[in-house]
Each structure stands twice: as structure tokens, then as C-alpha cells.
Amino acid sequence: MDNRRYLLLIALLILGSFISIAFFINDRLNKTVSDISASLTEHQHQQKAAFYRDQFNVSVETIATAENLLREARSAGEVSRLFPALKSTLFSDKKIARIWYSVISGRDSTFKSYKRDTSGTIVPVQPDFVKSWVYKELVKPSAANGKNSEFVNFEGRLHWLQGRRLMLADGTQIAFGFDIDLVELQNYFRQNDYIWQSYAFITTLNNLCISHPDEKLIGRKILTRLSLPELTRRLKKNNSVRDTVISSYLNVPVIRNYSFLTVGSEQWLFVADSPVSVIDEDAREVRNYTLAIGICCVFLVIAIVILAQKRWQRQFLLRQQAENTQKELLLEKQQLQITSEKQQKENAMLHLEKLKEKINPHFLFNSLLSLNGLISQDTEQAKEFVVRLSKVYRYVLNDFPDGLSPLEEEIRFAEQYTFLLKIRFGEALQYVQLNLQQLPAARIPFMSIQSAIENAVKHNVVSKSNPLAITIEYEDGCLAVSNNLQLRKDNGDSSRQGWAYIESIYKHYGIEHFKHGVEGDAYKCYLPLIYLKEGDITTA
């Protein structure tokens, strides 16, 4: 009897020990699951926020790019010339399906709007509600402090209107921007959002929903659990807020993360919902099996559970880390692709501006005037002048896709160009080449020497009493172009597009030591020589 009681006591002690250990394991498992779930949902929230922020900012940056383009215009006529480029710039963002612009010159005003249909064709449209908003917020004199961005409800669908206004030198006003249907934008997000474990929605700080997977909720006030003033206060203090709610969209418990989303000059509220992970169900099954098996073999089960739990946790974290790394690499690849496309676009625009400068009508006009004087004075030299002028323009029209040309050709072109200038200026212009007898087989940016010579002639006095001396020589792996400094008083503003063009070519090839500026009583430009090898780019 005593032995039975003793065995019963031992059994109760073992059972009590197991129950205590089981409760301890259960508590640790719950904590681990909670930490993993919190880390996972927070990471998903950050990835979602980065995706939506980048997508909205691309549209805002498109407006800024178009504004920089139109700043070149000085009159309504130039705006018409720039419109194809404006339209191409605004439609470069795939999310923008409708654009508009308005030109107000005196009492005359025009308003035009275009859309991209499903086939990709650009066709004109006349959305009256956009026109009304533009004249109210951007065009009328009372709109000096109007809104550049607003959400407008039209025929039951919420639209995001973004616009800018410019005043040209002749008093002409230009207003332009885009109109995005937020339901169509949600379809774009649905196709491009690669983070499937959660869904997100965005509201303004006035609780107006502007993005939601349930398109019926766009344009409504949907946040009810936390008041916006309280939520805003907590976000300003902690940057992010977490809550557990029942999703009206999924009808399941979700972990809800709140944060601010800054787009351009605006601040919105970003919310990401992640369903409560099935990890809880798996953990519950593990606990039940542990309890059942532990009745037969307490210590063995405890050891197995502890080892299994650690191994499972480690593998889960490693697998999750690998998946997160893969997603981050994918996002980084997309961002690099966007950056590359933007750089290519900027380089193309720089090339276009450079081409405009190359075929300079003032240079051609001055050359023809010089030729007119030569014809009556020196027929042979006039013939030589015509031949060299044709060589200059033939070289200008050459195609160098990589932006580089051989050093010898550039020097030869500079000689032809300087010959034409010397016909015009005579002894007032002196051109000297030093140490150029044995130059390496290198390359430099196309027409870079000509740009430096043109810059010297443009900004300095050139006269018989004050001759301008231009020197080209080889120095420390660079071609140095220098001139004595005697600046003109009527110099005016310089666009510096020539220097910007050359600098962009060097940066494209990763070369940072291109420089130009005043050195003592001279202005000097250093053009690093570029050596192109297969798969490699080097400089001296």
C-alpha cells in the first residue's frame, strides 16, 4: 500500500513536473511565435511602403522633369515646339493615362487634354472637371496660392490631379499636369505588387481612402478603430503603430501596421494588414502532441521538443531571411533599372542640346559673312574656306553612339574650326599646339576641344590690341586647352551646357577628374584621355 502511494506520488510529481515544463515550453513558444510574427509583419510593411512610395514619387518626379523642360521656353510659340517632348515626358510614367496643359497669353487661352487608350494610342479628350479645377486652382489670379495637388470625385470615381504653373518671360502662363484615375491606379498596383503575404491601403490625413484592394472603398472614409488625431500623435512619437483587428476585407484577424507615407510635399497615412500567421496553428499542434507523448516519456519528449523547436526556429528564420534577401535584390534590381533608364534619358537630352549648339546659326552666319569678304579679296583662300567649312559641318553630323571620338580626329577638327575663326578674327586670334607630335591612341568626348575653343572666343575680348591666344598641349594624361583671360564686359549669362555635356560623358565612363576653371591669368580646361579596351575603361 505504501509502495502504491509512493509510486502514485512519484507519478504525480512526474506529471506535475511535465505540466510545469509544458507550460514553460508553451510560454516560450508563444513568445517566439509572437516575435517572429512581429518581425515578419514589420518587414512586409516596410517593403510595401517602399513600393508604394516609389511608385507615387515617380509620378511626382515626372511633373518636375516636365517643369524643367518647359523652363527653357520664353514664349507661347516655344511652348508649342516643346509640347511633343512634354507629352513624351509625362506619358513616360506608365501609371499616367491622362495629361493636360493650358496656355494663357493675354486674353487668349487654350486648354488641351490627352489620354492613352488601351492600345497605347494618344488621343485628345475633354474632361470638363479637370478644366474647371485647372482654371480655379492654377490659372485665375485668385489662384496664386492654389493647390498643386488635389483628389477630386468625378462620376463616382476618385481622381488624383497634379499640376504646375509657370510664367514665361513674355507674360504667358503655362499650366500642365496629369489626371490619374485611382481605380485604374489600383489595377496597376495589383499587377505589379509582388508582396503577396499582406495587403495595403492608403488614406489622407483627413481619412479619405485613395488606395485599397477593394476598389469600392476608394474615395470613402474607412478608418474607425483609432481616431486620426490619436493615431497621428502616436505616429509622430514612434514612427510606426501596430494593432490587431478583424479585417473587413478578409474577414479574418490581421496584424495592422500604420506609418506615414511622404510623397513629394504631401504626407499620407499608409496601412498594411497581414493575416495572423498559421504559425499559431502549427505551434498548437506541436504543443498537443508534446503533451500526449510526454505522458509516456516525459524527459525524452521534453528533450526532443526543445531540440525540434530550436531547429525549426533556426530553419524558419534562415528561410525567411533568404526570401527577404531575394525580394530585396529584386527591388534593388528594379530601382537600378529605373535609375539606368533615367540616366539614359538625361544623356539623350544632353546630346540633343549639344547638337543644337553644334549647328549654331550665328556661327554659320558669321562664316558666310567672312566668306563674302574673302571672295572679292582672295579667291583661293575663299575656296579653301568653303572646303574647310564643309569639313566642319560634315564632322559635326558624324554619329558617335558612345559619345567619344578619336583624339587625332578631334585635334584635326579643332584645326579646321580654328581656321574658320582666324579668317574672321585675323591676327586677333592666335592658335598654338604644343607637344602633340606623338599622341597615344586615345579618345575624348565628341567635339570637346571645339567646345573649349568656342567658350574662349565667346567669353573673352578678341582684338588686334588684345589678341586671344589659345593653346592646346598634352599634360599628365590630359589634353589641356587654355587661353589668356580677358573677359568681355557684355558677357551675359552662360548656359554652361557645353561643360555639362562633356562632364556627363566622363561621368558615364566613371571618370571624375575632368575639370576647368581659372588658373592665374588664364582659363584652362583639362580633358582626360580615355582608353577603351574590351570589357575595360582606363585613363592615363
Side-chain angles (χ1 to χ4, degrees):
M1 189 70 179
D2 292 338
N3 290 335
R4 290 180 180 179
R5 289 181 178 178
Y6 179 73
L7 292 176
L8 180 60
L9 179 60
I10 293 177
L12 291 175
L13 288 174
I14 294 175
L15 182 60
S17 299
F18 170 75
I19 293 174
S20 300
I21 294 173
F23 274 113
F24 174 76
I25 293 175
N26 180 68
D27 180 68
R28 298 297 301 176
L29 188 58
N30 284 336
K31 186 177 184 304
T32 301
V33 170
S34 176
D35 292 342
I36 294 174
S37 297
S39 175
L40 178 62
T41 56
E42 177 64 24
H43 186 71
Q44 290 175 356
H45 174 82
Q46 292 175 359
Q47 286 186 309
K48 282 274 190 183
F51 169 78
Y52 280 84
R53 180 172 54 251
D54 291 344
Q55 293 296 326
F56 278 106
N57 277 326
V58 165
S59 300
V60 174
E61 290 171 2
T62 300
I63 285 284
T65 302
E67 183 176 6
N68 291 334
L69 176 67
L70 287 179
R71 287 188 184 279
E72 300 178 7
R74 297 182 177 274
S75 64
E78 293 187 22
V79 172
S80 299
R81 178 178 60 83
L82 291 173
F83 176 66
L86 170 67
K87 185 164 61 173
S88 175
T89 299
L90 291 176
F91 276 124
S92 64
D93 184 0
K94 296 180 180 179
K95 300 186 294 301
I96 298 177
R98 284 169 293 277
I99 68 169
W100 54 265
Y101 81 101
S102 178
V103 179
I104 299 90
S105 180
R107 296 184 177 180
D108 298 328
S109 65
T110 60
F111 181 85
K112 293 185 179 181
S113 180
Y114 298 84
K115 76 173 183 178
R116 175 169 46 202
D117 59 22
T118 54
S119 65
T121 305
I122 308 301
V123 296
V125 292
Q126 287 295 334
D128 293 336
F129 80 100
V130 175
K131 185 176 180 180
S132 300
W133 179 82
V134 171
Y135 278 93
K136 175 184 176 183
E137 298 295 340
L138 296 177
V139 174
K140 287 186 177 180
S142 60
N145 297 320
K147 302 176 182 177
N148 289 333
S149 174
E150 189 170 1
F151 297 100
V152 177
N153 200 312
F154 178 69
E155 295 183 352
R157 293 167 77 103
L158 192 65
H159 292 250
W160 181 30
L161 302 182
Q162 269 273 348
R164 294 288 190 279
R165 181 179 68 176
L166 292 176
M167 179 74 74
L168 303 185
D170 64 351
T172 300
Q173 291 188 69
I174 306 172
F176 62 95
F178 60 73
D179 160 28
I180 294 182
D181 186 325
L182 292 180
V183 173
E184 295 178 1
L185 181 62
Q186 188 60 41
N187 291 330
Y188 175 87
F189 288 153
R190 186 178 295 109
Q191 297 173 7
N192 292 273
D193 187 357
Y194 59 88
I195 306 172
W196 299 103
Q197 298 94 333
S198 62
Y199 74 91
F201 61 91
I202 304 172
T203 72
T204 66
L205 296 184
N206 293 325
N207 198 12
L208 177 67
C209 179
I210 61 177
S211 178
H212 198 288
D214 185 353
E215 298 170 357
K216 298 177 182 178
L217 298 178
I218 296 177
R220 299 183 181 181
K221 296 182 181 296
I222 60 174
L223 289 178
T224 57
R225 180 177 175 85
L226 294 175
S227 65
L228 277 176
E230 172 66 15
L231 183 58
T232 302
R233 185 188 65 79
R234 291 171 61 182
L235 283 175
K236 288 181 178 179
K237 183 177 180 180
N238 300 318
N239 295 325
S240 65
V241 174
R242 184 182 297 111
D243 195 10
T244 302
V245 300
I246 301 296
S247 170
S248 58
Y249 176 60
L250 299 178
N251 291 322
V252 297
V254 295
I255 298 176
R256 176 166 291 179
N257 287 273
Y258 304 84
S259 67
F260 286 128
L261 186 70
T262 301
V263 174
S265 60
E266 300 187 56
Q267 193 173 59
W268 301 331
L269 189 63
F270 182 81
V271 185
D273 286 352
S274 301
V276 175
S277 177
V278 294
I279 298 174
D280 288 339
E281 296 180 4
D282 294 338
R284 189 178 302 113
E285 292 182 5
V286 170
R287 287 193 295 268
N288 293 336
Y289 285 127
T290 302
L291 180 61
I293 296 173
I295 295 176
C296 301
C297 188
V298 176
F299 298 103
L300 180 61
V301 170
I302 292 175
I304 292 175
V305 170
I306 292 175
L307 292 176
Q309 181 201 4
K310 290 183 178 180
R311 183 179 178 184
W312 168 81
Q313 181 180 351
R314 183 169 58 254
Q315 290 179 346
F316 177 86
L317 292 176
L318 289 174
R319 183 169 61 252
Q320 189 63 41
Q321 183 179 3
E323 291 177 357
N324 292 339
T325 301
Q326 183 178 4
K327 292 172 183 176
E328 290 173 354
L329 290 174
L330 179 60
L331 182 60
E332 182 179 356
K333 181 179 178 181
Q334 292 176 343
Q335 292 174 342
L336 288 174
Q337 184 177 359
I338 293 173
T339 302
S340 176
E341 292 175 354
K342 184 177 179 181
Q343 290 176 345
Q344 290 176 3
K345 185 187 296 182
E346 292 174 348
N347 287 334
M349 294 182 67
L350 284 173
H351 279 291
L352 177 61
E353 293 300 328
K354 188 60 186 175
L355 186 57
K356 292 177 183 177
E357 293 180 2
K358 294 171 191 171
I359 311 176
N360 191 324
H362 294 290
F363 172 72
L364 179 59
F365 177 76
N366 292 330
S367 298
L368 293 177
L369 285 178
S370 301
L371 176 61
N372 182 53
L374 278 178
I375 291 175
S376 59
Q377 297 177 8
D378 190 341
T379 306
E380 292 302 321
Q381 195 173 30
K383 292 180 181 179
E384 177 67 12
F385 185 92
V386 171
V387 171
R388 300 219 183 187
L389 181 61
S390 67
K391 289 181 179 180
V392 165
Y393 274 87
R394 184 182 300 114
Y395 186 81
V396 165
L397 298 177
N398 281 344
D399 186 19
F400 293 90
D402 57 359
L404 302 176
S405 60
L407 178 60
E408 291 183 359
E409 293 186 19
E410 280 295 293
I411 293 177
R412 192 158 46 245
F413 171 68
E415 293 173 352
Q416 304 286 355
Y417 178 79
T418 309
F419 173 83
L420 301 180
L421 292 178
K422 286 183 67 66
I423 294 299
R424 177 183 171 192
F425 294 105
E427 297 178 357
L429 179 65
Q430 300 175 5
Y431 176 72
V432 181
Q433 295 182 358
L434 300 176
N435 303 325
L436 302 183
Q437 292 79 12
Q438 294 182 347
L439 288 174
R443 298 190 179 201
I444 57 176
F446 177 56
M447 293 190 68
S448 53
I449 301 178
Q450 180 269 343
S451 296
I453 295 174
E454 183 184 31
N455 183 75
V457 174
K458 179 179 179 182
H459 297 288
N460 291 276
V461 174
V462 185
S463 64
K464 290 184 180 180
S465 58
N466 294 292
L468 179 66
I470 299 176
T471 303
I472 302 179
E473 56 187 334
Y474 179 74
E475 289 185 14
D476 299 327
C478 296
L479 198 68
V481 183
S482 61
N483 62 271
N484 53 320
L485 201 61
Q486 43 193 35
L487 295 176
R488 295 169 52 183
K489 295 182 179 179
D490 60 339
N491 190 24
D493 293 332
S494 173
S495 64
R496 302 183 64 85
Q497 292 178 350
W499 296 134
Y501 159 74
I502 297 173
E503 187 174 14
S504 70
I505 295 297
Y506 278 120
K507 286 186 176 180
H508 177 73
Y509 289 98
I511 298 173
E512 300 290 341
H513 55 283
F514 162 70
K515 62 179 182 178
H516 59 89
V518 177
E519 294 185 5
D521 58 351
Y523 192 96
K524 208 160 188 177
C525 168
Y526 295 91
L527 303 171
L529 304 187
I530 301 175
Y531 301 86
L532 295 180
K533 298 180 181 178
E534 186 174 356
D536 191 17
I537 300 173
T538 59
T539 59

